[in-house]
Amino acid sequence: MAKTIHIINGPNLNLLGTRQPEIYGSVTLPDVNAACDKLSTELGLRTRFQQSNHEGQLVDWVQEARLTNAAGIIINPAAYTHTSVAILDALSMFEGPVIEVHISQVHKREAFRHHSYVSQRADVVIAGAGVNGYYLALTHMAGLLAD
Ligand code: DQA
């Protein structure tokens, strides 16, 4: 059976496409979900794509990924990147590869976006590639899991 990758998205990413398009682009989250679905099939993987505006829900989903033996996690924690010890702690219990994705190049933006709690656990960090970051992450994940 194909390995499952959980792709977890944080607050306000449900509004991708209409949210500050000059920063985040015009592609919607359902578009990204569909493209990830297609790419993962090509890579011999399965994806589970989730988004929530609530920190506790994101923690629950990271825990669930561990309990259901997900092969890897790709996560864009959005604003919780910069504040959430709870998401970091949940990710720290997960044993597979973790890839952190940011659509924007957070290091070119406000100083409060330069620190990520999640980076303390992430094996790979991708920032500034737009929604392409998700596809790069999936492709890299396939390589990591094949090693
Ligand atoms: C983001 C960057 C965060 O700083 C911001 O709060 C987001 C999106 C990104 O994908 O570029 O909501 O994670």
Side-chain angles (χ1 to χ4, degrees), residues 3-59:
K3 293 174 179 161
T4 304
I5 310 304
H6 289 219
I7 305 179
I8 300 174
N9 293 280
N12 300 306
L13 290 169
N14 53 313
L15 298 180
L16 205 62
T18 55
R19 173 195 184 195
Q20 295 178 282
E22 69 285 2
I23 296 176
Y24 297 109
S26 55
V27 175
T28 68
L29 202 62
D31 291 337
V32 177
N33 184 359
C36 284
D37 203 46
K38 184 167 178 284
L39 178 60
S40 61
T41 305
E42 288 163 14
L43 293 168
L45 300 170
R46 283 180 44 194
T47 44
R48 178 155 178 205
F49 201 90
Q50 297 163 303
Q51 188 278 330
S52 176
N53 293 329
H54 305 280
E55 184 177 14
Q57 178 65 80
L58 299 170
V59 169

Short mmCIF file of all heavy atoms in Angstrom, two decimals, residues 3-59:
data_model
loop_
_atom_site.label_atom_id
_atom_site.label_comp_id
_atom_site.label_asym_id
_atom_site.label_seq_id
_atom_site.Cartn_x
_atom_site.Cartn_y
_atom_site.Cartn_z
N LYS A 3 2.49 4.81 0.78
CA LYS A 3 2.73 5.54 2.02
C LYS A 3 1.91 6.83 2.01
O LYS A 3 1.76 7.47 0.97
CB LYS A 3 4.21 5.88 2.14
CG LYS A 3 5.07 4.65 2.33
CD LYS A 3 6.54 4.99 2.29
CE LYS A 3 7.37 3.73 2.51
NZ LYS A 3 8.73 3.85 2.07
N THR A 4 1.43 7.22 3.19
CA THR A 4 0.59 8.41 3.28
C THR A 4 1.36 9.59 3.88
O THR A 4 2.02 9.45 4.91
CB THR A 4 -0.66 8.14 4.14
OG1 THR A 4 -1.34 7.02 3.58
CG2 THR A 4 -1.60 9.34 4.16
N ILE A 5 1.27 10.72 3.20
CA ILE A 5 1.88 11.96 3.66
C ILE A 5 0.75 12.90 4.10
O ILE A 5 -0.19 13.13 3.33
CB ILE A 5 2.67 12.66 2.52
CG1 ILE A 5 3.63 11.70 1.82
CG2 ILE A 5 3.40 13.89 3.05
CD1 ILE A 5 4.61 11.01 2.72
N HIS A 6 0.85 13.39 5.31
CA HIS A 6 -0.16 14.34 5.79
C HIS A 6 0.34 15.77 5.48
O HIS A 6 1.46 16.12 5.86
CB HIS A 6 -0.39 14.18 7.28
CG HIS A 6 -1.11 12.90 7.62
ND1 HIS A 6 -2.08 12.82 8.59
CD2 HIS A 6 -1.02 11.66 7.08
CE1 HIS A 6 -2.56 11.59 8.64
NE2 HIS A 6 -1.91 10.86 7.74
N ILE A 7 -0.49 16.52 4.79
CA ILE A 7 -0.16 17.91 4.46
C ILE A 7 -1.08 18.79 5.29
O ILE A 7 -2.30 18.79 5.09
CB ILE A 7 -0.32 18.20 2.96
CG1 ILE A 7 0.51 17.20 2.13
CG2 ILE A 7 0.09 19.64 2.64
CD1 ILE A 7 0.39 17.38 0.62
N ILE A 8 -0.50 19.50 6.26
CA ILE A 8 -1.29 20.21 7.26
C ILE A 8 -1.07 21.72 7.11
O ILE A 8 0.07 22.19 7.08
CB ILE A 8 -0.87 19.74 8.68
CG1 ILE A 8 -1.13 18.22 8.81
CG2 ILE A 8 -1.62 20.52 9.75
CD1 ILE A 8 -0.61 17.62 10.12
N ASN A 9 -2.16 22.45 7.01
CA ASN A 9 -2.11 23.89 6.78
C ASN A 9 -2.79 24.66 7.91
O ASN A 9 -3.88 24.29 8.37
CB ASN A 9 -2.84 24.22 5.48
CG ASN A 9 -2.12 23.67 4.28
OD1 ASN A 9 -1.14 24.25 3.82
ND2 ASN A 9 -2.58 22.52 3.79
N GLY A 10 -2.16 25.75 8.32
CA GLY A 10 -2.66 26.55 9.43
C GLY A 10 -3.57 27.69 9.02
O GLY A 10 -4.09 27.72 7.90
N PRO A 11 -3.76 28.64 9.94
CA PRO A 11 -4.79 29.67 9.81
C PRO A 11 -4.63 30.58 8.59
O PRO A 11 -3.51 30.91 8.19
CB PRO A 11 -4.65 30.49 11.10
CG PRO A 11 -3.31 30.16 11.63
CD PRO A 11 -3.01 28.76 11.19
N ASN A 12 -5.78 30.94 8.07
CA ASN A 12 -5.93 31.88 6.95
C ASN A 12 -5.53 31.30 5.59
O ASN A 12 -5.75 31.94 4.56
CB ASN A 12 -5.17 33.20 7.22
CG ASN A 12 -5.68 33.89 8.46
OD1 ASN A 12 -6.88 34.13 8.57
ND2 ASN A 12 -4.81 34.19 9.41
N LEU A 13 -4.96 30.09 5.59
CA LEU A 13 -4.60 29.50 4.30
C LEU A 13 -5.83 29.01 3.54
O LEU A 13 -5.76 28.79 2.33
CB LEU A 13 -3.58 28.38 4.50
CG LEU A 13 -2.19 28.91 4.93
CD1 LEU A 13 -1.29 27.77 5.38
CD2 LEU A 13 -1.53 29.71 3.81
N ASN A 14 -6.97 28.91 4.23
CA ASN A 14 -8.23 28.62 3.53
C ASN A 14 -8.58 29.75 2.55
O ASN A 14 -9.33 29.53 1.61
CB ASN A 14 -9.38 28.40 4.52
CG ASN A 14 -9.54 29.54 5.52
OD1 ASN A 14 -8.55 29.98 6.09
ND2 ASN A 14 -10.75 30.01 5.73
N LEU A 15 -8.02 30.93 2.78
CA LEU A 15 -8.33 32.09 1.92
C LEU A 15 -7.29 32.30 0.82
O LEU A 15 -7.30 33.34 0.14
CB LEU A 15 -8.47 33.35 2.77
CG LEU A 15 -9.60 33.31 3.81
CD1 LEU A 15 -9.66 34.60 4.60
CD2 LEU A 15 -10.94 33.04 3.13
N LEU A 16 -6.41 31.32 0.66
CA LEU A 16 -5.39 31.42 -0.39
C LEU A 16 -6.08 31.70 -1.73
O LEU A 16 -7.11 31.11 -2.04
CB LEU A 16 -4.64 30.09 -0.46
CG LEU A 16 -3.22 30.13 -1.01
CD1 LEU A 16 -2.34 31.00 -0.13
CD2 LEU A 16 -2.65 28.72 -1.10
N GLY A 17 -5.49 32.58 -2.51
CA GLY A 17 -6.10 32.95 -3.79
C GLY A 17 -6.73 34.34 -3.72
O GLY A 17 -6.65 35.11 -4.67
N THR A 18 -7.32 34.63 -2.54
CA THR A 18 -7.90 35.98 -2.37
C THR A 18 -7.15 36.74 -1.27
O THR A 18 -7.28 37.94 -1.14
CB THR A 18 -9.39 35.92 -1.98
OG1 THR A 18 -9.53 35.11 -0.82
CG2 THR A 18 -10.22 35.35 -3.12
N ARG A 19 -6.39 36.02 -0.47
CA ARG A 19 -5.66 36.62 0.65
C ARG A 19 -4.36 37.24 0.15
O ARG A 19 -3.46 36.53 -0.30
CB ARG A 19 -5.35 35.51 1.66
CG ARG A 19 -4.46 35.95 2.77
CD ARG A 19 -3.89 34.75 3.51
NE ARG A 19 -3.11 35.23 4.63
CZ ARG A 19 -2.26 34.50 5.32
NH1 ARG A 19 -2.10 33.23 5.02
NH2 ARG A 19 -1.59 35.02 6.31
N GLN A 20 -4.23 38.56 0.26
CA GLN A 20 -3.00 39.27 -0.13
C GLN A 20 -2.31 38.57 -1.33
O GLN A 20 -1.18 38.07 -1.18
CB GLN A 20 -2.04 39.34 1.05
CG GLN A 20 -2.56 40.18 2.21
CD GLN A 20 -1.60 40.19 3.38
OE1 GLN A 20 -1.53 39.23 4.14
NE2 GLN A 20 -0.85 41.25 3.51
N PRO A 21 -2.96 38.57 -2.49
CA PRO A 21 -2.39 37.83 -3.63
C PRO A 21 -1.01 38.32 -4.05
O PRO A 21 -0.22 37.54 -4.61
CB PRO A 21 -3.41 38.03 -4.75
CG PRO A 21 -4.38 39.05 -4.27
CD PRO A 21 -4.27 39.15 -2.79
N GLU A 22 -0.68 39.58 -3.71
CA GLU A 22 0.65 40.09 -4.05
C GLU A 22 1.73 39.35 -3.25
O GLU A 22 2.90 39.30 -3.65
CB GLU A 22 0.71 41.61 -3.83
CG GLU A 22 0.65 42.13 -2.40
CD GLU A 22 -0.75 42.08 -1.73
OE1 GLU A 22 -1.71 41.59 -2.35
OE2 GLU A 22 -0.86 42.53 -0.57
N ILE A 23 1.33 38.75 -2.11
CA ILE A 23 2.29 37.99 -1.31
C ILE A 23 2.13 36.48 -1.54
O ILE A 23 3.11 35.75 -1.69
CB ILE A 23 2.11 38.29 0.21
CG1 ILE A 23 2.41 39.75 0.50
CG2 ILE A 23 2.98 37.36 1.07
CD1 ILE A 23 2.16 40.16 1.95
N TYR A 24 0.86 36.03 -1.57
CA TYR A 24 0.62 34.59 -1.57
C TYR A 24 0.17 34.01 -2.91
O TYR A 24 -0.02 32.80 -3.03
CB TYR A 24 -0.41 34.25 -0.47
CG TYR A 24 0.06 34.59 0.92
CD1 TYR A 24 -0.48 35.66 1.63
CD2 TYR A 24 1.09 33.88 1.51
CE1 TYR A 24 -0.04 35.99 2.91
CE2 TYR A 24 1.56 34.19 2.78
CZ TYR A 24 0.98 35.25 3.48
OH TYR A 24 1.45 35.56 4.73
N GLY A 25 -0.04 34.89 -3.92
CA GLY A 25 -0.42 34.40 -5.24
C GLY A 25 -1.93 34.22 -5.39
O GLY A 25 -2.71 34.49 -4.47
N SER A 26 -2.33 33.74 -6.55
CA SER A 26 -3.76 33.68 -6.87
C SER A 26 -4.31 32.25 -6.91
O SER A 26 -5.49 32.02 -7.19
CB SER A 26 -4.02 34.38 -8.20
OG SER A 26 -3.19 33.80 -9.18
N VAL A 27 -3.46 31.28 -6.64
CA VAL A 27 -3.90 29.88 -6.64
C VAL A 27 -4.64 29.61 -5.31
O VAL A 27 -4.23 30.09 -4.26
CB VAL A 27 -2.68 28.95 -6.79
CG1 VAL A 27 -3.06 27.49 -6.67
CG2 VAL A 27 -1.99 29.21 -8.13
N THR A 28 -5.72 28.85 -5.38
CA THR A 28 -6.49 28.57 -4.16
C THR A 28 -5.99 27.30 -3.47
O THR A 28 -5.29 26.47 -4.08
CB THR A 28 -7.99 28.38 -4.48
OG1 THR A 28 -8.13 27.16 -5.23
CG2 THR A 28 -8.54 29.57 -5.28
N LEU A 29 -6.41 27.13 -2.21
CA LEU A 29 -5.98 25.92 -1.47
C LEU A 29 -6.56 24.64 -2.10
O LEU A 29 -5.84 23.64 -2.20
CB LEU A 29 -6.33 26.04 0.01
CG LEU A 29 -5.50 25.14 0.94
CD1 LEU A 29 -4.02 25.50 0.89
CD2 LEU A 29 -6.02 25.21 2.37
N PRO A 30 -7.83 24.65 -2.54
CA PRO A 30 -8.31 23.44 -3.25
C PRO A 30 -7.48 23.13 -4.51
O PRO A 30 -7.26 21.95 -4.84
CB PRO A 30 -9.76 23.79 -3.62
CG PRO A 30 -10.18 24.77 -2.55
CD PRO A 30 -8.95 25.57 -2.24
N ASP A 31 -7.00 24.17 -5.19
CA ASP A 31 -6.11 23.94 -6.35
C ASP A 31 -4.82 23.23 -5.90
O ASP A 31 -4.34 22.31 -6.57
CB ASP A 31 -5.68 25.27 -7.02
CG ASP A 31 -6.81 25.99 -7.73
OD1 ASP A 31 -7.80 25.31 -8.10
OD2 ASP A 31 -6.70 27.22 -7.91
N VAL A 32 -4.26 23.70 -4.79
CA VAL A 32 -3.02 23.10 -4.28
C VAL A 32 -3.28 21.66 -3.87
O VAL A 32 -2.48 20.75 -4.17
CB VAL A 32 -2.45 23.92 -3.08
CG1 VAL A 32 -1.21 23.26 -2.50
CG2 VAL A 32 -2.15 25.35 -3.50
N ASN A 33 -4.40 21.45 -3.20
CA ASN A 33 -4.79 20.10 -2.78
C ASN A 33 -4.86 19.16 -4.00
O ASN A 33 -4.28 18.07 -4.00
CB ASN A 33 -6.14 20.17 -2.07
CG ASN A 33 -6.58 18.83 -1.50
OD1 ASN A 33 -5.90 17.82 -1.65
ND2 ASN A 33 -7.74 18.82 -0.86
N ALA A 34 -5.54 19.63 -5.06
CA ALA A 34 -5.71 18.80 -6.26
C ALA A 34 -4.36 18.49 -6.90
O ALA A 34 -4.09 17.36 -7.32
CB ALA A 34 -6.63 19.49 -7.25
N ALA A 35 -3.49 19.50 -6.97
CA ALA A 35 -2.17 19.30 -7.59
C ALA A 35 -1.32 18.34 -6.74
O ALA A 35 -0.59 17.50 -7.29
CB ALA A 35 -1.47 20.64 -7.76
N CYS A 36 -1.44 18.45 -5.42
CA CYS A 36 -0.68 17.54 -4.54
C CYS A 36 -1.18 16.12 -4.69
O CYS A 36 -0.39 15.16 -4.69
CB CYS A 36 -0.81 17.97 -3.07
SG CYS A 36 0.17 19.41 -2.65
N ASP A 37 -2.49 16.00 -4.83
CA ASP A 37 -3.10 14.68 -5.01
C ASP A 37 -2.55 14.01 -6.27
O ASP A 37 -2.13 12.85 -6.26
CB ASP A 37 -4.62 14.91 -5.12
CG ASP A 37 -5.38 13.67 -4.75
OD1 ASP A 37 -5.04 13.08 -3.72
OD2 ASP A 37 -6.29 13.31 -5.52
N LYS A 38 -2.53 14.78 -7.36
CA LYS A 38 -2.07 14.26 -8.65
C LYS A 38 -0.57 13.89 -8.57
O LYS A 38 -0.17 12.80 -8.97
CB LYS A 38 -2.31 15.33 -9.71
CG LYS A 38 -1.97 14.93 -11.13
CD LYS A 38 -2.54 15.95 -12.12
CE LYS A 38 -2.17 15.58 -13.55
NZ LYS A 38 -0.76 15.90 -13.86
N LEU A 39 0.22 14.83 -8.02
CA LEU A 39 1.66 14.60 -7.94
C LEU A 39 1.97 13.39 -7.05
O LEU A 39 2.85 12.59 -7.37
CB LEU A 39 2.36 15.86 -7.41
CG LEU A 39 3.86 15.78 -7.21
CD1 LEU A 39 4.58 15.46 -8.52
CD2 LEU A 39 4.41 17.09 -6.62
N SER A 40 1.26 13.29 -5.94
CA SER A 40 1.56 12.17 -5.03
C SER A 40 1.28 10.83 -5.71
O SER A 40 2.04 9.87 -5.53
CB SER A 40 0.79 12.30 -3.71
OG SER A 40 -0.58 12.27 -3.92
N THR A 41 0.24 10.76 -6.52
CA THR A 41 -0.04 9.52 -7.26
C THR A 41 1.12 9.20 -8.19
O THR A 41 1.59 8.06 -8.25
CB THR A 41 -1.35 9.67 -8.07
OG1 THR A 41 -2.38 10.05 -7.16
CG2 THR A 41 -1.73 8.38 -8.76
N GLU A 42 1.62 10.25 -8.88
CA GLU A 42 2.77 10.04 -9.79
C GLU A 42 4.00 9.55 -9.02
O GLU A 42 4.82 8.79 -9.55
CB GLU A 42 3.10 11.34 -10.52
CG GLU A 42 2.07 11.72 -11.59
CD GLU A 42 2.15 13.19 -12.02
OE1 GLU A 42 3.17 13.86 -11.71
OE2 GLU A 42 1.20 13.66 -12.63
N LEU A 43 4.11 10.01 -7.76
CA LEU A 43 5.28 9.64 -6.95
C LEU A 43 5.08 8.33 -6.19
O LEU A 43 5.96 7.89 -5.45
CB LEU A 43 5.58 10.76 -5.93
CG LEU A 43 6.04 12.11 -6.51
CD1 LEU A 43 5.99 13.19 -5.43
CD2 LEU A 43 7.45 12.00 -7.09
N GLY A 44 3.91 7.74 -6.36
CA GLY A 44 3.62 6.48 -5.66
C GLY A 44 3.26 6.68 -4.20
O GLY A 44 3.40 5.77 -3.38
N LEU A 45 2.80 7.89 -3.86
CA LEU A 45 2.41 8.20 -2.48
C LEU A 45 0.93 8.52 -2.43
O LEU A 45 0.27 8.68 -3.47
CB LEU A 45 3.19 9.43 -1.98
CG LEU A 45 4.72 9.33 -1.95
CD1 LEU A 45 5.32 10.70 -1.67
CD2 LEU A 45 5.15 8.33 -0.88
N ARG A 46 0.41 8.65 -1.20
CA ARG A 46 -0.95 9.16 -1.00
C ARG A 46 -0.85 10.38 -0.12
O ARG A 46 0.05 10.47 0.72
CB ARG A 46 -1.81 8.12 -0.27
CG ARG A 46 -2.27 7.00 -1.16
CD ARG A 46 -3.10 6.01 -0.37
NE ARG A 46 -4.06 6.69 0.51
CZ ARG A 46 -4.71 6.07 1.50
NH1 ARG A 46 -4.51 4.81 1.75
NH2 ARG A 46 -5.56 6.74 2.25
N THR A 47 -1.76 11.33 -0.31
CA THR A 47 -1.73 12.51 0.56
C THR A 47 -3.05 12.69 1.27
O THR A 47 -4.12 12.34 0.76
CB THR A 47 -1.43 13.81 -0.22
OG1 THR A 47 -2.20 13.84 -1.41
CG2 THR A 47 0.02 13.93 -0.56
N ARG A 48 -2.94 13.22 2.46
CA ARG A 48 -4.12 13.63 3.22
C ARG A 48 -3.93 15.12 3.47
O ARG A 48 -2.96 15.53 4.10
CB ARG A 48 -4.16 12.85 4.52
CG ARG A 48 -5.30 13.25 5.36
CD ARG A 48 -5.69 12.13 6.29
NE ARG A 48 -6.77 12.61 7.11
CZ ARG A 48 -7.06 12.14 8.29
NH1 ARG A 48 -6.36 11.14 8.77
NH2 ARG A 48 -8.05 12.63 8.99
N PHE A 49 -4.83 15.93 2.94
CA PHE A 49 -4.65 17.39 2.93
C PHE A 49 -5.63 18.03 3.91
O PHE A 49 -6.84 17.81 3.83
CB PHE A 49 -4.93 17.89 1.51
CG PHE A 49 -4.35 19.22 1.18
CD1 PHE A 49 -3.08 19.34 0.64
CD2 PHE A 49 -5.09 20.38 1.40
CE1 PHE A 49 -2.54 20.58 0.32
CE2 PHE A 49 -4.56 21.63 1.09
CZ PHE A 49 -3.28 21.72 0.54
N GLN A 50 -5.11 18.81 4.86
CA GLN A 50 -5.96 19.36 5.92
C GLN A 50 -5.65 20.84 6.16
O GLN A 50 -4.50 21.27 5.98
CB GLN A 50 -5.71 18.58 7.22
CG GLN A 50 -6.08 17.11 7.11
CD GLN A 50 -5.45 16.27 8.21
OE1 GLN A 50 -4.24 16.26 8.38
NE2 GLN A 50 -6.27 15.56 8.96
N GLN A 51 -6.65 21.59 6.56
CA GLN A 51 -6.44 23.01 6.92
C GLN A 51 -7.34 23.35 8.10
O GLN A 51 -8.51 22.97 8.13
CB GLN A 51 -6.80 23.92 5.73
CG GLN A 51 -6.45 25.40 5.93
CD GLN A 51 -7.49 26.20 6.74
OE1 GLN A 51 -8.67 25.89 6.69
NE2 GLN A 51 -7.04 27.20 7.48
N SER A 52 -6.78 24.08 9.06
CA SER A 52 -7.61 24.60 10.15
C SER A 52 -7.09 25.95 10.60
O SER A 52 -5.89 26.24 10.52
CB SER A 52 -7.58 23.64 11.35
OG SER A 52 -8.30 24.20 12.44
N ASN A 53 -8.02 26.75 11.11
CA ASN A 53 -7.66 28.04 11.69
C ASN A 53 -7.36 27.91 13.19
O ASN A 53 -7.06 28.91 13.84
CB ASN A 53 -8.80 29.04 11.49
CG ASN A 53 -8.97 29.38 10.01
OD1 ASN A 53 -8.02 29.38 9.25
ND2 ASN A 53 -10.20 29.67 9.60
N HIS A 54 -7.44 26.68 13.73
CA HIS A 54 -7.37 26.48 15.18
C HIS A 54 -6.13 25.69 15.59
O HIS A 54 -5.90 24.57 15.08
CB HIS A 54 -8.64 25.79 15.66
CG HIS A 54 -9.87 26.54 15.25
ND1 HIS A 54 -10.32 27.64 15.94
CD2 HIS A 54 -10.69 26.38 14.18
CE1 HIS A 54 -11.40 28.12 15.33
NE2 HIS A 54 -11.64 27.40 14.25
N GLU A 55 -5.37 26.24 16.50
CA GLU A 55 -4.10 25.63 16.92
C GLU A 55 -4.30 24.20 17.44
O GLU A 55 -3.55 23.28 17.07
CB GLU A 55 -3.45 26.51 17.99
CG GLU A 55 -2.09 26.03 18.44
CD GLU A 55 -1.44 26.98 19.44
OE1 GLU A 55 -2.15 27.85 20.00
OE2 GLU A 55 -0.23 26.84 19.66
N GLY A 56 -5.31 24.01 18.31
CA GLY A 56 -5.54 22.69 18.91
C GLY A 56 -5.87 21.65 17.86
O GLY A 56 -5.46 20.48 17.97
N GLN A 57 -6.60 22.05 16.84
CA GLN A 57 -6.94 21.12 15.76
C GLN A 57 -5.67 20.69 15.02
O GLN A 57 -5.50 19.52 14.66
CB GLN A 57 -7.92 21.78 14.79
CG GLN A 57 -8.29 20.93 13.60
CD GLN A 57 -9.07 19.68 13.99
OE1 GLN A 57 -10.26 19.74 14.23
NE2 GLN A 57 -8.38 18.55 14.07
N LEU A 58 -4.76 21.64 14.83
CA LEU A 58 -3.49 21.31 14.14
C LEU A 58 -2.68 20.32 14.99
O LEU A 58 -2.11 19.36 14.46
CB LEU A 58 -2.70 22.58 13.85
CG LEU A 58 -3.41 23.60 12.94
CD1 LEU A 58 -2.65 24.93 12.91
CD2 LEU A 58 -3.56 23.07 11.52
N VAL A 59 -2.67 20.55 16.30
CA VAL A 59 -1.98 19.63 17.23
C VAL A 59 -2.62 18.24 17.13
O VAL A 59 -1.92 17.22 17.02
CB VAL A 59 -2.04 20.17 18.68
CG1 VAL A 59 -1.56 19.11 19.68
CG2 VAL A 59 -1.20 21.44 18.81
#
